Amino acid sequence: MSLMEKTGTPIGSYAPDFELPGIDDQVHHLSSYLRQWSVVAVVFISNQCPYSCSYIDRLKQIQTQFCKQGFILVAINAMDANQHPAESFQNMKKFALERQLNFPYLWDPTQDVARSFGAQKTPEAFLIDDLGILRYSGQIDDSLHQDAEARQITFLRNAIAALLAEEEVVPKSTEAIGCPIQWRH
């Protein structure tokens, strides 16, 4: 693991604010979400990573399950579209339409947001409380990406439920499993 891989936002620290374009052609800020929602999940995904694609329905279910309780899920694509044209902003719009995403999908073309969070894989989740403090990072659940029914522990759901109930999140982090983020050269 290189030194760069060890950087990012530690659990218990303030999550980095961001200003990113969304597929809705609006600019999105973490600070705006924090004023509106009690709990925010930032999930780094990819248009073509098989792990990300297999989790889309689960992410939509999480958004539906918790949205009326003060929760929002925000997906961010930080893949290098120069190396992987399928990750372009236009292709993100197509992906969101085809997959009928029910949450914002943002583009991190400079990869600064992914680096500041310490994201390494897709999908990788970061859960933030209403004060802007990072409370969980890592896997969405413990299943292999192809088999949603095999999951035993729903890490992200459990963490969201704990925060909404004003309880401690346990575990605070897990090792994300997925495709490595393709960094710009």
Side-chain angles (χ1 to χ4, degrees):
M1 189 178 285
S2 72
L3 190 58
M4 177 172 252
E5 291 175 8
K6 294 180 183 176
T7 63
T9 303
I11 301 294
S13 299
Y14 285 103
D17 198 3
F18 55 73
E19 181 177 317
L20 293 174
I23 58 160
D24 60 357
D25 294 320
Q26 302 296 311
V27 175
H28 296 253
H29 303 261
L30 178 59
S31 56
S32 297
Y33 288 118
L34 293 172
R35 283 193 296 275
Q36 198 172 356
W37 307 95
S38 301
V39 177
V40 177
V42 172
V43 182
F44 290 86
I45 66 171
S46 160
N47 295 340
Q48 59 184 6
C49 165
Y51 292 89
S52 286
C53 292
S54 71
Y55 272 96
I56 294 300
D57 287 340
R58 283 178 264 180
L59 293 174
K60 288 166 41 179
Q61 290 167 0
I62 289 169
Q63 172 63 18
T64 299
Q65 179 181 353
F66 293 108
C67 68
K68 290 184 172 60
Q69 299 171 54
F71 167 81
I72 189 165
L73 187 147
V74 179
I76 298 177
N77 186 330
M79 291 294 214
D80 181 7
N82 291 324
Q83 291 180 68
H84 302 280
E87 302 294 350
S88 73
F89 192 57
Q90 286 305 319
N91 284 325
M92 286 174 58
K93 289 180 177 185
K94 290 178 194 168
F95 178 86
L97 188 62
E98 289 167 3
R99 295 304 198 98
Q100 299 178 318
L101 299 187
N102 62 350
F103 47 81
Y105 191 18
L106 315 182
W107 190 36
D108 181 13
T110 65
Q111 301 181 316
D112 291 344
V113 175
R115 289 185 193 284
S116 62
F117 270 93
Q120 293 295 312
K121 308 245 169 127
T122 62
E124 187 168 357
F126 295 84
L127 193 64
I128 304 157
D129 70 13
D130 60 341
L131 300 175
I133 307 289
L134 182 63
R135 297 296 178 189
Y136 171 79
S137 69
Q139 295 179 45
I140 295 162
D141 60 41
D142 69 342
S143 74
L144 295 173
H145 74 279
Q146 302 96 332
D147 190 4
E149 300 310 311
R151 67 180 177 250
Q152 300 292 314
I153 305 170
T154 54
F155 297 114
L156 184 58
R157 280 179 198 220
N158 295 351
I160 294 164
L163 280 184
L164 289 171
E166 299 181 6
E167 298 170 355
E168 186 175 349
V169 173
V170 178
K172 295 186 183 318
S173 68
T174 56
E175 186 69 32
I177 297 171
C179 299
I181 291 177
Q182 300 299 311
W183 301 105
R184 291 175 21 184
H185 299 292

